[in-house]
């Protein structure tokens, strides 16, 4: 039996151009164990698609781990075919990382060394049972290389007789090569085994059947297959090959070893350990019926794989400094990506508890290096120890599996030898974005962000506090005492809740017992930590305000109103004089008489606070949870990706640090920030409860401005800027109309119409009826009146038409200088608005419109004067 290695070259992408025109002529050359093959050349393509398979011979299976597959990409020079190969990149793959089963063999992308681009390969090593079988007389076509074959392994063996094929075969991968040589060395033994298989065919059952009938003893043969009762609880695990002569029952199908183990007599199975069919309430089975749902499903987004590294802690680290201490930190490195934990000063038993996530699509190496270093402020950081992990041996975890428990690892030196002191606790696994560690992990996409600003790049979920309307009805007050006894106060009430402040009108009744009967509305938020301050004051001058009394109460003590038909009872509250902090309590104790205010205060729990536009409202439920209806379903949103975003940080030499925000109801979600890309791929999924189908979800994309510790700048919303588009559109229209500009002088003399010399009698003669029915004086009077009205209408319509003609003349090139000035101004203004934020432009325009009269002029402004001087067609009318 000979071992085979199959290498499939799928495609390559983003290769280095070599022909001076941005293209190349790439081909791939593969070398393994002195065997060398190459693919076809793809001309003028830097993203070639090969889809070619090659089969290599493996002399000894034990040598595969010590071999290396070298894949080189070269450029074919058409001008000088005999010249030296143009190198485009290389990939070296260790034999230990080659999978041995079809299920583990997948297409992987490997970055090219010493160049740009990557290549997609698929490899598998397996046993060839037909390697030593004599071939049929059918001739083979000549091969380019003797040791390697470019056709598929299964196509190569189609020439064998199909009558001798084995329909079902189990290959034991634990057989040594020496046993394989003895197994196929004797041809007679092979023929005997072949005849034996033809006579004796067995059927195997994975589930233990019921007890045999009492009529059979131990010495009798097993009954035929039809004598066994059907197994109802696991029918999928039964395999029938052919009508059988002899049957046997086995229960260890999942633990099967070599073929001879499968033919052993298996004792009867205890029914308590048999497989039983269950029906758990899974989301896929129920299809979300009944309100049950698995929160870890990510079926609306593309599954993204990440390499997670959980750095927990270390112990017994060696002393590195002169002072006999160590300032340790951990450096997690994978290819060009590097993550660093915080360094802890003078600690030989540090605890970090930091998680790192590396995207599988950007993996540039097969080795993960975890290094413990000593922080040194003066010189280079000292090396303490490290641990190396092969990514092909990293376990895969998919929720709802339990989290992978961290393990202790002994640190190694740079030569790979275990050191005496120093252990580190780690956990390394492959997972997806559904992993619980995904939101809190340090992502390789944010490798340039410091630890203090790392929280600004992570995924977050916010819940807005529940809002209530606070109704304060100010009814009246009694026994107000002003400071000046001889002055009659005209009081008003000021009510303050946090930053919200409302005033009543001054009482219509001047005196010490004023009446208002006014309602003031506020918005209060849970957990009701704000206080209500009710102040009665008297304003008796422009800047003179006297406080007559004040009452302070907590929102938590305000009753909630559930019923809309009945208002709560009103209450009288004592008013206290404002005083110093130290004397306030003593004055309250001495007070035997105080002014009072009559209030009705309640929290409206039956209403919904409209904190968003009614056209885009996402929640119409009342504030009280007791009055809310049950949800009618779930809303699932998968935020996949964005493309063609605007570069928001072009001044800094970067593009955009984008994240997406979605808001529905009281739940806000925010994806992680992807740095320096115009086409981010988030692939995050979120779920909301839906109470009303006539609601709207709001989604926005923002540029993160909190990556460098600057919290003064707000995150800018990414989208279209309308004003630059309008002015740029006007500029393009003006350039387009330049071809249709008039070639002849458009002006004419208005005196050619002779309209100025027309006498009123002539007009009366022209428009009068014939014969006239009215006296000539009346007809003339009516005609003059009608003409005056029509003249005014015509003047107004003419003025409107003139303004439109002047606006059209801006881009019609009727006045060449005016059109040229306008389109140049439009271009400059479009660039200015694109660079300058809209808020700055609004402030500048507002300050100009509200400027002081000293800076105003009675003469028309430059834009108005420019517009009035544009040509119109009023002078061309007869």
């Amino acid at each position: 039996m000979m071992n085979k290695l199959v290498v499939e070259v799928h495609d390559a992408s983003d290769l280095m151009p070599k022909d001076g025109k941005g293209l190349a002529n790439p081909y791939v050359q593969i070398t393994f164990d002195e065997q060398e093959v190459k693919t076809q050349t793809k001309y003028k393509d830097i993203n070639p698609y090969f889809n070619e398979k090659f089969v290599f011979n493996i002399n000894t299976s034990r040598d595969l781990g010590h071999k290396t597959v070298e894949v080189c990409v070269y450029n074919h020079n058409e001008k000088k075919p005999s010249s030296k190969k143009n190198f485009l990149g290389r990939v070296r793959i260790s034999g230990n990382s080659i999978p041995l089963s079809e299920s583990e063999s997948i297409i992987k992308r490997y970055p090219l060394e010493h160049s740009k681009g990557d290549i997609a390969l698929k490899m598998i090593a397996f046993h060839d049972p037909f390697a030593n079988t004599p071939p049929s007389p059918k001739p083979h076509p000549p091969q380019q290389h003797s040791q390697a074959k470019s056709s598929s392994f299964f196509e190569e063996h189609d020439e064998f007789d199909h009558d001798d094929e084995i329909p079902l075969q189990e290959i034991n991968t634990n057989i040594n090569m020496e046993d394989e040589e003895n197994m196929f060395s004797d041809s007679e033994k092979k023929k005997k085994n072949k005849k034996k298989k033809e006579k004796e065919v067995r059927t195997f059952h994975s589930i233990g059947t019921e007890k045999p009938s009492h009529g059979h003893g131990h010495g009798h043969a097993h009954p035929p297959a039809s004598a066994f009762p059907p197994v109802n609880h696991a029918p999928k695990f039964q395999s029938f090959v052919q009508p059988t002569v002899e049957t046997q029952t086995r229960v260890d199908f999942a633990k099967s070893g070599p073929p001879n183990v499968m033919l052993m007599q298996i004792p009867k199975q205890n029914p308590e350990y048999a497989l039983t069919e269950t029906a758990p309430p899974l989301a896929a089975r129920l299809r979300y019926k009944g309100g049950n749902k698995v929160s870890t499903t990510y079926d609306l987004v593309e599954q993204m794989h990440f390499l997670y590294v959980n750095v927990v802690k270390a112990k017994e680290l060696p002393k590195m400094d002169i002072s006999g201490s160590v300032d340790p930190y951990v450096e997690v490195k994978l290819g060009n990506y590097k993550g660093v934990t915080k360094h802890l000063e003078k600690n030989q038993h540090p605890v970090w508890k930091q998680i790192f996530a590396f995207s599988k699509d950007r993996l540039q190496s097969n080795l993960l290096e975890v290094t413990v270093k000593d922080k040194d402020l003066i010189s280079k950081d000292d090396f303490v120890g490290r641990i190396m992990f092969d990514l092909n041996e990293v376990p895969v975890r998919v929720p709802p599996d339990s989290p992978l428990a961290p393990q202790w690892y002994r640190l190694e030196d740079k030569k790979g030898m275990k050191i005496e002191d120093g252990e580190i606790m780690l956990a390394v696994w492959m997972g997806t974005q559904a992993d619980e560690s995904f939101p809190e992990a340090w992502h390789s996409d944010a490798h340039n962000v410091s630890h203090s600003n790392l929280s600004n790049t992570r995924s977050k979920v916010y819940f807005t506090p529940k809002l209530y309307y606070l109704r304060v009805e100010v009814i009246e007050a009694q026994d107000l005492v002003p400071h000046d006894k001889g002055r009659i106060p005209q009081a008003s009430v000021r009510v303050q809740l946090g930053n919200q402040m409302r005033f009543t009108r001054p009482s219509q009744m001047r005196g010490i017992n004023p009446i208002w009967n006014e309602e003031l509305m506020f918005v209060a938020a849970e957990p009701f930590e704000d206080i209500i301050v009710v102040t009665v004051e008297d304003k008796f001058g422009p800047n003179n305000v006297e406080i007559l009394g004040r009452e302070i109460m907590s929102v938590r003590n305000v009753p909630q109103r559930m019923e809309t038909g009945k208002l709560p009872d009103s209450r009288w509250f004592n008013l206290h004089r404002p005083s110093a902090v130290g004397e306030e309590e003593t004055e309250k104790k001495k007070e035997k008489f105080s002014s009072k205010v009559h209030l009705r205060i309640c929290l409206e729990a039956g209403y919904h606070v409209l904190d968003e536009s009614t056209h885009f409202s996402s929640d119409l439920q009342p504030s009280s949870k007791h009055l809310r209806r049950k949800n009618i379903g779930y809303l699932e949103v998968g935020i996949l990706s964005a493309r063609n975003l605007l570069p928001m940080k072009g001044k800094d030499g970067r593009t955009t640090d984008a994240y997406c925000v979605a808001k529905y109801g009281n739940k806000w979600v925010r994806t992680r920030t992807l740095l320096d890309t115009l086409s981010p791929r988030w692939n995050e999924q979120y779920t909301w409860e839906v109470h009303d189908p006539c609601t709207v979800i709001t989604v926005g994309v923002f540029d993160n401005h909190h990556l460098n510790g600057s919290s003064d700048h707000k995150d800018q919303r990414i989208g279209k800027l309308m004003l630059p588009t309008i002015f740029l559109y006007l500029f393009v229209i003006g350039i387009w109309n330049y071809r249709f500009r008039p070639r002849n002088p458009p002006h004419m003399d208005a005196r050619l119409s002779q309209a100025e010399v027309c006498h009123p009698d002539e007009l009366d003669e022209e428009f009068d009826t014939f014969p006239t029915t009215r006296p000539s004086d009346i007809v003339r009077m009516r005609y003059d009146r009608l003409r005056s009205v029509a003249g005014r209408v015509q003047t107004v319509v003419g003025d409107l038409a003139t303004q439109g003609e002047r606006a059209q003349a801006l881009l019609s090139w009727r006045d060449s200088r005016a059109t040229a000035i306008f389109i140049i101004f439009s271009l400059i203004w479009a660039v200015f608005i694109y660079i300058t934020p809209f808020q700055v432009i609004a402030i500048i325009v507002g300050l100009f419109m509200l400027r002081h009269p000293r800076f105003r002029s009675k003469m028309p402004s430059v834009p108005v004067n420019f517009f009035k001087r544009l040509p119109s067609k009023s002078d061309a009318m007869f």
Side-chain angles (χ1 to χ4, degrees), residues 683-749:
N683 286 312
E684 299 182 19
Q685 184 170 337
Y686 300 93
T687 306
W688 287 268
E689 289 185 353
V690 178
H691 300 272
D692 190 349
C694 300
T695 47
V696 179
I697 182 173
T698 304
V699 181
V701 182
F702 293 84
D703 179 45
N704 198 332
H705 280 258
H706 294 76
L707 300 180
N708 299 324
S710 57
S711 59
D712 299 336
H713 299 82
K714 292 184 178 180
D715 295 346
Q716 294 187 5
R717 185 174 56 199
I718 303 176
K720 295 182 178 180
L721 306 166
M722 297 302 294
L723 291 180
T725 305
I726 294 175
F727 283 100
L728 187 62
Y729 183 67
L730 295 176
F731 172 77
V732 173
I733 292 178
I735 295 297
W736 177 263
N737 292 339
Y738 178 76
R739 303 181 303 166
F740 310 105
R741 65 189 186 278
R743 298 296 194 273
N744 300 322
H747 305 286
M748 62 176 299
D749 191 359

Side-chain angles (χ1 to χ4, degrees), residues 4 97 154 515 529 541 553 585 829:
K4 298 290 183 181
S97 62
F154 300 99
I515 299 176
E529 296 179 351
M553 66 190 75
E585 295 296 331
W829 192 245

Side-chain angles (χ1 to χ4, degrees), residues 457-679:
T457 65
R458 291 172 175 169
S459 304
K460 296 180 181 178
V461 178
Y462 305 92
F463 285 91
T464 57
K466 193 182 301 182
L467 303 179
Y468 291 79
Y469 281 121
L470 175 64
R471 183 196 298 265
V472 179
E473 182 179 357
V474 182
I475 303 175
E476 58 181 336
Q478 287 185 357
D479 301 332
L480 298 180
V481 181
H483 184 70
D484 187 2
K485 303 295 184 180
R487 180 174 51 84
I488 301 177
Q490 189 175 9
S492 62
V493 179
R494 170 167 54 92
V495 182
Q496 183 175 358
L497 175 65
N499 296 328
Q500 308 173 63
M501 189 178 296
R502 303 287 187 273
F503 295 87
T504 65
R505 294 189 297 270
S507 176
Q508 300 293 333
M509 301 174 56
R510 299 177 63 96
I512 60 174
N513 300 315
I515 299 176
W516 294 281
N517 288 324
E518 293 187 26
E519 284 190 355
L520 306 178
M521 298 296 294
F522 301 86
V523 176
E526 289 185 347
F528 301 137
E529 296 179 351
D530 295 334
I531 58 176
I532 306 173
V533 181
V534 181
T535 306
V536 180
E537 54 190 16
D538 177 25
K539 186 176 181 180
F540 55 90
N543 299 321
N544 297 327
V545 177
E546 180 185 357
I547 298 178
L548 302 178
R550 177 178 294 169
E551 172 62 14
I552 300 176
M553 66 190 75
S554 176
V555 183
R556 296 180 180 178
N557 300 328
V558 176
Q560 294 187 9
R561 179 191 177 196
M562 301 292 184
E563 301 178 2
T564 58
K566 181 181 179 181
L567 290 173
D569 297 334
S570 58
R571 290 180 54 191
W572 286 93
F573 295 90
N574 294 330
L575 294 177
H576 305 283
R577 287 264 185 186
S579 59
V581 178
E583 302 176 357
E584 184 175 0
E585 295 296 331
T586 57
E587 287 189 3
K588 286 184 179 180
K589 294 180 180 179
K590 294 179 180 179
E591 281 184 353
K592 296 182 180 179
F593 170 81
S594 64
S595 304
K596 296 180 180 295
V597 61
H598 194 193
L599 303 175
R600 180 182 284 114
I601 305 178
C602 65
L603 288 171
E604 297 288 353
Y607 295 90
H608 172 75
V609 179
L610 288 175
D611 56 341
E612 52 190 354
S613 175
T614 56
H615 300 285
F616 308 104
S617 180
S618 60
D619 186 13
L620 301 175
Q621 292 288 96
S623 301
S624 175
K625 63 179 180 180
H626 303 288
L627 302 178
R628 295 188 174 186
R629 297 175 296 177
K630 294 183 178 180
N631 62 307
I632 61 176
Y634 291 92
L635 171 65
E636 292 189 348
V637 177
I639 303 176
L640 302 178
S641 60
R643 57 184 178 181
N644 300 330
L645 297 181
L646 296 176
M648 306 297 291
K649 294 184 175 66
K651 298 179 181 179
D652 303 333
R654 306 181 63 200
T655 54
T656 299
D657 304 325
Y659 65 89
C660 183
V661 174
K663 193 260 182 185
Y664 182 79
N666 64 335
K667 181 179 178 181
W668 293 72
V669 298
R670 169 178 171 174
T671 65
R672 69 188 190 280
T673 302
L674 299 183
L675 304 184
D676 201 15
T677 177
L678 298 179
S679 301

Side-chain angles (χ1 to χ4, degrees), residues 745-765:
H747 305 286
M748 62 176 299
D749 191 359
R751 292 174 295 179
L752 297 177
S753 63
Q754 299 293 326
E756 298 178 354
V757 298
C758 184
H759 196 272
D761 295 336
E762 297 177 358
L763 297 176
D764 179 59
E765 183 180 358

Side-chain angles (χ1 to χ4, degrees), residues 51-229:
N51 195 20
E52 298 186 31
K53 294 183 180 180
F54 302 94
V55 182
F56 298 88
N57 294 330
I58 305 176
N59 296 330
T60 307
S61 61
R62 299 174 183 174
D63 296 341
L64 180 60
H66 305 285
K67 301 291 183 180
T68 301
V69 181
E70 182 174 332
V71 181
C72 298
V73 184
Y74 295 100
N75 175 63
H76 177 69
N77 196 343
E78 296 178 330
K79 299 180 180 180
K80 299 179 181 180
S82 59
S83 61
K84 187 178 179 180
K85 301 177 182 178
N86 292 334
F87 181 76
L88 294 179
R90 178 180 62 186
V91 174
R92 290 182 178 179
I93 303 160
S94 175
N96 294 326
S97 62
I98 298 176
L100 302 178
S101 63
E102 185 68 25
S103 60
E104 298 178 358
S105 178
I106 60 175
I107 297 178
K108 296 183 179 180
R109 306 200 72 88
Y110 298 90
L112 297 176
E113 299 178 0
H114 310 295
S115 182
K116 62 177 294 189
D118 53 19
I119 186 170
L121 302 173
K122 181 179 180 182
M123 293 180 290
I124 182 175
F126 61 92
H127 299 277
D128 186 358
F130 305 104
N132 295 334
T133 306
S136 63
K138 183 178 179 180
H140 280 282
Q143 301 292 336
Q144 182 178 358
H145 301 280
S146 60
Q147 298 293 333
K149 306 172 182 59
S150 62
S151 62
S152 176
F153 167 74
F154 300 99
E155 297 176 355
E156 187 179 10
H157 293 88
D158 285 342
E159 58 192 19
F160 293 100
D161 190 3
H162 294 280
D163 296 336
D164 297 335
E165 289 181 352
I166 302 176
L168 182 62
Q169 183 181 8
E170 183 173 348
I171 300 176
N172 183 16
T173 58
N174 298 323
I175 301 178
N176 297 330
M177 295 302 297
E178 297 177 358
D179 298 336
E180 296 173 1
E181 295 176 359
N182 297 331
M183 187 182 301
F184 291 95
S185 60
D186 191 1
S187 60
E188 294 181 358
K189 183 184 294 185
K190 181 179 179 182
K191 293 180 180 179
K192 292 181 181 179
N193 293 336
K194 196 172 186 180
K195 294 179 180 179
K196 186 176 181 180
K197 290 181 180 178
E198 293 177 356
K199 293 180 180 180
E200 181 177 312
V201 181
R202 296 175 180 268
T203 302
F204 307 105
H205 300 267
S206 62
I207 305 300
T209 58
E210 296 181 0
K211 297 181 179 181
S213 60
H214 298 285
H216 297 281
H218 294 286
H220 293 78
H222 291 278
S226 60
F228 282 89

